[in-house]
Amino acid sequence: MDNLKKLRIQRGLSQQQLADLLHTSQQSIYKYEKGIAEPNLETLKNMADYFETSIDYLAGFTSIPHKIEPVAEYDLNSDEQALIEKYKKLSPRTRAIMHIIIDEYLHSS
């Protein structure tokens, strides 16, 4: 559990406090941090949920500390998100005009 101790310390938790949150013992947390024992899958899931990270990060298989969510076809990149935010600020009349412009542009290409 390469990153467990780092995450625990970042949250300002003692081993006992983390153990209480995870419904386990302080000795178990100590053993996980020292690599003496490994948590079961349910405990790993609870740790990842609590720290808002992935099991891979906890185990040291990735250096990415945040959860890695699957990318769906309709996920938007930052440019697309910015465009939608701008679109939402337009009046209904201006939105209708934008639809016409986009339709004309798509039909002419």
Side-chain angles (χ1 to χ4, degrees):
M1 302 300 309
D2 294 352
N3 291 312
L4 178 60
K5 184 175 181 178
K6 180 194 312 185
L7 291 168
R8 178 179 60 77
I9 291 170
Q10 285 174 351
R11 291 277 176 108
L13 297 171
S14 68
Q15 288 179 343
Q16 184 63 57
Q17 289 170 318
L18 181 57
D20 292 344
L21 289 167
L22 298 174
H23 308 290
T24 190
S25 68
Q26 179 272 327
Q27 293 84 1
S28 292
I29 300 298
Y30 171 83
K31 289 177 182 178
Y32 302 154
E33 289 182 356
K34 296 293 185 183
I36 298 168
E38 294 183 6
N40 63 30
L41 185 56
E42 188 63 30
T43 301
L44 274 173
K45 287 179 183 179
N46 290 339
M47 287 177 186
D49 285 344
Y50 176 77
F51 289 114
E52 298 176 346
T53 191
S54 67
I55 291 173
D56 282 349
Y57 181 74
L58 283 168
F61 292 129
T62 182
S63 60
I64 301 169
H66 58 274
K67 284 187 178 182
I68 303 167
E69 301 294 334
V71 178
E73 180 180 351
Y74 299 106
D75 285 345
L76 303 176
N77 64 35
S78 59
D79 288 339
E80 293 164 335
Q81 290 173 356
L83 186 58
I84 288 173
E85 289 305 313
K86 290 176 185 176
Y87 178 83
K88 288 179 178 179
K89 293 177 184 177
L90 298 174
S91 69
R93 184 174 185 277
T94 305
R95 286 182 186 183
I97 293 168
M98 293 304 298
H99 283 263
I100 293 169
I101 293 169
I102 291 170
D103 288 342
E104 286 297 318
Y105 177 78
L106 291 174
H107 289 12
S108 67
S109 348

